[in-house]
Amino acid sequence: MNDKRLFVILLVILALSIALLIYAKTQVGQNFIRQF
Amino acid sequence: MTEEKPHFKLKYINWLLVVLIILINGYVLVAPLLPQLDLKKRQHKVQAVAGLPYKSKTDQSKNNNRQDIPSDNRLVIPKIALDQHIYQGSAAWLLNKGVWARPNTSTPPEGGNTVLTGHRFTYGGPATFYSLDKLAAGDRVVIYWQGKEYDYKVAKTKIVSPSATEIEESTDNTQLTIFTCTPLWTAKNRLVVIAYPDKELN
């Protein structure tokens, strides 16, 4: 595969991974006390 | 030759991106399992933890000049190797430090409903009650409160909805309520453990 195309694909995957990490850090288990 | 240089660099950058992607996703996938490994590691020390709070039933010196009672307020659950400070206050961020005594609920010396809560699992935060689901009726829970020991025995566990605020209501009888999130890694419901004073030890 062309290195440039691979670079773009990897960049997109990295962006999605960072989004997943931010979601995990801010959402998982964090909001459980709000309804009390 | 001069045209190949950028491609050569791009190849290295691509490898760097692959490593970053593996590290980030590896952390997201593996971190939720780490408290389980940690529990297994701590269970090797469980005898030491269990040895801290308990005197034998025949020990008449309970609460009298005890040297082993911690000076701070603590929750100890030997079965899940839990031994943590109990934080008091009205700020919900105390959850991020460990066990939080819910405001407007009782305390062990007052009787009534003492309510403790903590995170089940958070990324980068404490997994205070990660193994709370392992508790069953008959398991022992100990609270150290203002230099005194209060022994409880788990009576039942139940799962309620997040809106079931009645678990924090005051009760006529002395009881300990511990709750956290369930199922693991979600905040969908609440796992509630209810324990009553252990009459043999108190």
Side-chain angles (χ1 to χ4, degrees):
Chain A
M1 190 184 283
N2 184 313
D3 277 349
K4 272 187 183 172
R5 185 176 287 181
L6 184 64
F7 174 73
V8 173
I9 291 169
L10 288 173
L11 217 56
V12 171
I13 295 173
L14 181 66
L16 289 172
S17 301
I18 291 170
L20 177 69
L21 181 67
I22 291 169
Y23 175 83
K25 282 266 190 188
T26 56
Q27 295 300 313
V28 175
Q30 293 287 354
N31 56 351
F32 93 95
I33 210 72
R34 282 186 195 151
Q35 292 185 55
F36 276 83
Chain B
M1 288 296 281
T2 48
E3 279 179 5
E4 282 179 18
K5 256 191 171 178
H7 284 279
F8 183 71
K9 275 184 184 172
L10 206 55
K11 207 168 248 177
Y12 277 103
I13 291 170
N14 284 347
W15 273 112
L16 186 71
L17 290 179
V18 169
V19 170
L20 272 174
I21 290 165
I22 291 171
L23 283 176
I24 291 171
N25 288 290
Y27 170 73
V28 172
L29 287 172
V30 173
L33 306 172
L34 291 179
Q36 184 62 37
L37 297 174
D38 187 43
L39 174 70
K40 284 185 178 169
K41 199 171 71 182
R42 280 184 292 125
Q43 273 176 338
H44 291 294
K45 300 176 185 171
V46 76
Q47 289 304 321
V49 175
L52 173 72
Y54 303 126
K55 292 284 179 184
S56 69
K57 291 173 191 175
T58 54
D59 187 351
Q60 299 302 311
S61 66
K62 185 171 159 47
N63 285 335
N64 294 328
N65 301 316
R66 290 267 305 271
Q67 299 297 314
D68 58 343
I69 289 184
S71 55
D72 61 334
N73 298 336
R74 294 190 82 77
L75 173 68
V76 177
I77 308 177
K79 187 176 185 183
I80 56 173
L82 187 145
D83 179 6
Q84 291 209 13
H85 178 75
I86 300 171
Y87 292 90
Q88 287 178 279
S90 55
W93 60 263
L94 288 168
L95 273 171
N96 296 327
K97 298 187 88 175
V99 180
W100 181 31
R102 290 284 289 151
N104 305 318
T105 66
S106 192
T107 59
E110 290 171 355
N113 192 11
T114 301
V115 182
L116 304 177
T117 188
H119 280 304
R120 188 86 183 270
F121 173 78
T122 55
Y123 281 92
T128 314
F129 290 130
Y130 187 91
S131 304
L132 196 69
D133 60 323
K134 304 280 189 297
L135 288 188
D139 288 333
R140 196 176 263 171
V141 178
V142 183
I143 290 181
Y144 294 104
W145 196 271
Q146 294 168 348
K148 282 194 172 181
E149 180 181 313
Y150 297 86
D151 296 281
Y152 299 85
K153 213 175 231 181
V154 173
K156 58 184 173 182
T157 62
K158 60 182 179 180
I159 291 169
V160 299
S161 76
S163 57
T165 52
E166 64 270 15
I167 61 170
E168 291 197 341
E169 285 175 2
S170 61
T171 55
D172 295 332
N173 299 326
T174 301
Q175 76 171 52
L176 171 66
T177 303
I178 303 171
F179 74 92
T180 190
C181 291
T182 198
L184 193 55
W185 308 315
T186 75
K188 191 180 173 193
N189 288 314
R190 304 292 173 265
L191 171 65
V192 184
V193 172
I194 293 172
Y196 295 114
D198 190 336
K199 287 172 186 167
E200 293 175 16
L201 290 172
N202 280 314

